[in-house]
Amino acid sequence: MTEVATSLKPVVKPTDNELIAWFLADQNPDHFTLLYRRYAGKVFAKCISMLSDEGLARDAVQDIFIKVYLNLARFNEKSSFSTWLYSITYNFCIDLIRRKKKIPVLLSDDVGRIGDEPVPEVPDSVLLEMKHERLERVLAELPEGDRIILLMKYMDEMSIRDIAEFFQKTESAIKMQIMRAKHKAQVVYDSIYAHDPIES
Amino acid sequence: MREKENSFKVLEAKWEAGLPPELERRVSSQTTNFTVFGRVVELFMPNALQAVAHIIGGAADDDGPQGVLSPGRRPEPEEWPDWRTPPGKI
């Protein structure tokens, strides 16, 4: 009878915050594994897009989740868990690129610097409706800063306010940076696919 | 009418599919190690600290865990040393 009652109980998927609270209460690694299963793919996708190397991305995912595991008690629920996790991911990859290339990644300093030259407005649909193989190629050609900001806006669908908070810039500076990044993407697209501008 | 797919999402799904399954085992074995280490520290650290305190001359608190160290004894007033110089000895 109890078994039947149990089997009839609707299966409720615990929220991220519930899983975190349970994990912090009993330190049961199973709760953390559930969080891992929920987000590992997305974190891996971000690492691949930023590092362009599968081996590095694999190691990065492992290190990011260990970092999250050790710092979970510091998660304060001000933002959603996914936003917190993705900002750890972006910061981790930016540091990795910096150390690997031994050059400063054009990010916080670059984002928000508004030039004088006007940038033509590129509609979102140009990027959103691009064939994914072409988009992958275009993203790979873009500077890290532009790539990251486009991923945040269109892949993670982060709000302008959250992106501005991440870069510690004003919302208008971020809007301008997105406009510039879209324009650069359009220029890269035109240079690569000049011979075949219309996707077949 | 079918809405056009966001190509960023399509690309994300393609990259997500490449996540190696053995990564979960690696992460989970590492987190399990951290948990075990944390529990060991939690279990033995208080006693270890008490032992160190004892070695350097401290006394155990009466309210602390029993049976590890003998509680300290405060000397009776008659045992207190009198450092005053006796009269006529200057």
Side-chain angles (χ1 to χ4, degrees), chain A residues 11-26:
Chain A
V11 181
V12 183
K13 212 170 128 192
T15 64
D16 295 343
N17 288 355
E18 279 171 342
L19 282 173
I20 293 166
W22 295 343
F23 171 75
L24 292 176
D26 60 10

Side-chain angles (χ1 to χ4, degrees), chain B:
Chain B
M1 202 177 97
R2 194 173 148 265
E3 209 175 291
K4 272 222 166 191
E5 265 185 308
N6 172 350
S7 35
F8 279 86
K9 294 281 178 194
V10 177
L11 196 55
E12 186 181 34
K14 181 189 151 193
W15 282 328
E16 271 188 65
L19 177 75
E22 77 271 8
L23 208 55
E24 182 179 326
R25 194 183 40 76
R26 272 161 63 180
V27 171
S28 118
S29 74
Q30 228 171 326
T31 53
T32 308
N33 286 347
F34 280 125
T35 308
V36 170
F37 180 72
R39 284 183 184 153
V40 167
V41 168
E42 210 175 294
L43 200 64
F44 293 108
M45 211 48 172
N47 285 349
L49 285 177
Q50 258 195 329
V52 170
H54 187 63
I55 289 165
I56 62 173
D61 190 353
D62 283 348
D63 299 330
Q66 298 298 305
V68 180
L69 296 170
S70 56
R73 191 180 70 86
R74 186 183 167 87
E76 295 301 321
E78 55 271 19
E79 293 177 62
W80 293 354
D82 186 356
W83 301 106
R84 287 174 301 176
T85 315
K89 290 270 180 173
I90 302 169

Side-chain angles (χ1 to χ4, degrees), chain A residues 11-79:
Chain A
V11 181
V12 183
K13 212 170 128 192
T15 64
D16 295 343
N17 288 355
E18 279 171 342
L19 282 173
I20 293 166
W22 295 343
F23 171 75
L24 292 176
D26 60 10
Q27 297 289 314
N28 182 349
D30 292 346
H31 297 137
F32 187 78
T33 304
L34 286 177
L35 278 176
Y36 172 89
R37 283 185 192 153
R38 214 170 266 183
Y39 289 105
K42 299 217 179 292
V43 170
F44 183 67
K46 276 169 224 334
C47 293
I48 285 264
S49 68
M50 289 179 69
L51 304 170
S52 314
D53 181 305
E54 215 177 305
L56 274 180
R58 218 178 299 144
D59 292 343
V61 171
Q62 185 175 351
D63 291 347
I64 287 163
F65 274 95
I66 295 302
K67 211 170 180 181
V68 168
Y69 178 88
L70 295 173
N71 289 289
L72 211 48
R74 288 191 201 164
F75 171 63
N76 54 16
E77 295 181 23
K78 256 191 208 165
S79 58

Side-chain angles (χ1 to χ4, degrees), chain A residues 54-147:
Chain A
E54 215 177 305
L56 274 180
R58 218 178 299 144
D59 292 343
V61 171
Q62 185 175 351
D63 291 347
I64 287 163
F65 274 95
I66 295 302
K67 211 170 180 181
V68 168
Y69 178 88
L70 295 173
N71 289 289
L72 211 48
R74 288 191 201 164
F75 171 63
N76 54 16
E77 295 181 23
K78 256 191 208 165
S79 58
S80 67
F81 173 72
S82 58
T83 306
W84 184 69
L85 174 66
Y86 298 157
S87 49
I88 291 177
T89 305
Y90 284 122
N91 278 322
F92 186 91
C93 291
I94 289 164
D95 282 348
L96 207 64
I97 295 167
R98 263 192 201 135
R99 269 183 278 138
K100 234 177 111 61
K101 289 190 174 172
K102 290 184 182 157
I103 53 155
V105 172
L106 24 125
L107 255 181
S108 307
D109 300 336
D110 190 46
V111 172
R113 195 190 302 152
I114 301 167
D116 295 331
E117 71 279 19
V119 179
E121 173 83 53
V122 176
D124 286 355
S125 57
V126 169
L127 291 175
L128 297 180
E129 292 170 14
M130 199 181 278
K131 251 188 169 178
H132 74 269
E133 296 90 349
R134 290 187 174 198
L135 178 64
E136 187 173 9
R137 176 110 191 258
V138 168
L139 286 175
E141 297 291 329
L142 285 178
E144 278 90 359
D146 294 317
R147 197 188 317 154

